Amino acid sequence: MAVDNEVSAIYYIQHHLQNLTFGKHPENGWSLASTSEEATEMGFWAIHLDTMGWSIAMGLLFIWAFHKAGKIATTGVPGGLQNAVEMVIEFIENLTHATFHGRNKHIAPIALTLFVWILLMNSLKIIPVDYFPELFAKLGVDYMKIVPTTDVNATLGMALGVFLMIIYYSIKIKGVGGFAKELSLTPFNHWSLIPFNLVLELVGLIVKPISLGLRLFGNMFAGEVIFILIALLPFWAIWLLDVPWAIFHILVVSLQAFIFTTLSIVYLSAAHEHH
C-alpha cells in the first residue's frame, strides 16, 4: 500500500508539472504528447499550448481592462476599475522616473505592459492546483498548466524580448561604432585589453536575459511545486498550510512582477547611457 501511495504521489506531481505539448513526434507525427517522454522526443520546436493560451489570454485581459477603464474614465469620483488602473499607471510612472535616466517615451508603456502582464500570469497561481486540470480532464485534455511563468520557455521568451530591446536601443542611441567601442573598451580603456574587455562585457550582456528569465521561473516554479506537495497532504493539513502559503504567495506574485519590470528598466536605462 505504501508503494502504491508513493507511485500515485509521483504520478500526481509529474502530471501537474507536465505541459500540454503539441509537436512532431518521430513515430506519431504531429500530435499532442500523451506522456512527458513523448513531449521530450518532440524536440525543440514543440509548443506548450497551455502556456501559449493562458499567456495570450492574460494579455487580452490586460488590454480589455485598460481599454474599458479608459472608456469609462471620469473626472469625478472614479470607479473601482478606473481607480485600480490609475494606481498601477501612477506606480509605473514613478518607478520609471526613479529608475530610467534617459529620454524615451516608450519605456513607461513597456514597463507597464511587463508589470501587468506578468502580474496577471503570476496571479493564476492562486487558483487551486487541481481545479483546471480536473476540469480539462473532463473535456478530454490530459494536461493543463495554467501559470505561464512556471514554464521556463515563457520567462526566457520575455527576457529575450527585453534583451533584443537592449541591443536595439544600444545601437540606436550610441550607433554601431559606439556600441562596439563600449563593449571593447569597458572597463579598461586600452587597446591591449580589448579581448579581455569583450569577454567580460559579452558575458555580462548575455547573462542579463538568462538571469532575468530564470529568476522569475525559479520563484514561480518553486511555489507551484509547494502547492502541489501541499495538495498531497491529508485534508486537514491542506487547509492548515494551503491558505497561509497562498496568502504569502500573493506577495511573491507581485514582487516577482516588480523585480522583472525594475531590472528591465535598469537594463534599458544602461542601454541609453553613453560611457
Side-chain angles (χ1 to χ4, degrees):
M1 181 64 69
V3 175
D4 290 340
N5 290 337
E6 182 179 349
V7 172
S8 299
I10 293 174
Y11 173 77
Y12 178 85
I13 295 171
Q14 291 177 339
H15 178 273
H16 279 63
L17 295 179
Q18 174 64 36
N19 286 98
L20 178 62
T21 307
F22 177 80
K24 188 175 183 180
H25 190 268
E27 297 179 1
N28 303 329
W30 291 100
S31 60
L32 291 172
S34 57
T35 63
S36 59
E37 289 75 16
E38 285 190 8
T40 302
E41 291 168 355
M42 287 178 175
F44 177 79
W45 295 109
I47 299 175
H48 292 171
L49 296 180
D50 43 8
T51 296
M52 293 291 293
W54 286 103
S55 59
I56 292 172
M58 292 303 100
L60 293 175
L61 177 60
F62 162 53
I63 294 172
W64 173 82
F66 275 66
H67 176 70
K68 183 176 181 180
K71 290 184 65 176
I72 64 174
T74 176
T75 56
V77 179
L81 179 61
Q82 180 184 343
N83 193 41
V85 168
E86 288 180 352
M87 287 177 61
V88 172
I89 292 176
E90 183 178 357
F91 169 73
I92 293 299
E93 185 179 11
N94 292 335
L95 178 63
T96 304
H97 281 311
T99 311
F100 183 75
H101 305 298
R103 297 185 63 182
N104 190 331
K105 63 181 181 180
H106 300 297
I107 299 301
I110 291 171
L112 178 66
T113 301
L114 286 173
F115 178 77
V116 177
W117 193 26
I118 294 173
L119 181 64
L120 289 174
M121 290 191 288
N122 288 354
S123 298
L124 290 171
K125 184 180 286 295
I126 307 302
I127 300 173
V129 294
D130 287 330
Y131 185 80
F132 277 101
E134 291 181 357
L135 176 62
F136 278 88
K138 294 177 181 179
L139 300 175
V141 179
D142 294 329
Y143 302 102
M144 181 56 59
K145 281 181 64 178
I146 69 168
V147 186
T149 47
T150 60
D151 186 348
V152 69
N153 297 285
T155 59
L156 287 180
M158 289 187 291
L160 178 61
V162 174
F163 177 72
L164 293 177
M165 285 190 289
I166 292 173
I167 300 300
Y168 170 76
Y169 283 117
S170 293
I171 295 175
K172 181 180 179 181
I173 300 299
K174 306 164 188 175
V176 176
F179 183 45
K181 183 178 179 181
E182 180 181 86
L183 292 177
S184 58
L185 296 177
T186 305
F188 303 108
N189 189 13
H190 194 278
W191 65 268
S192 63
L193 294 175
I194 287 179
F196 181 72
N197 290 335
L198 283 175
V199 171
L200 287 180
E201 290 298 306
L202 289 175
V203 169
L205 190 63
I206 294 172
V207 164
K208 286 179 181 178
I210 296 176
S211 63
L212 195 63
L214 290 182
R215 180 185 293 104
L216 176 59
F217 162 74
N219 282 276
M220 300 310 296
F221 184 81
E224 183 81 350
V225 171
I226 293 177
F227 274 120
I228 293 172
L229 293 176
I230 291 175
L232 291 169
L233 298 175
F235 179 80
W236 61 269
I238 292 177
W239 283 101
L240 184 64
L241 297 175
D242 197 40
V243 174
W245 178 247
I247 295 173
F248 169 75
H249 216 66
I250 292 175
L251 300 176
V252 177
V253 161
S254 55
L255 179 62
Q256 290 306 312
F258 170 75
I259 292 174
F260 191 101
T261 304
T262 301
L263 289 177
S264 298
I265 298 173
V266 170
Y267 295 154
L268 290 171
S269 178
H272 285 72
E273 294 175 359
H274 291 274
H275 295 281

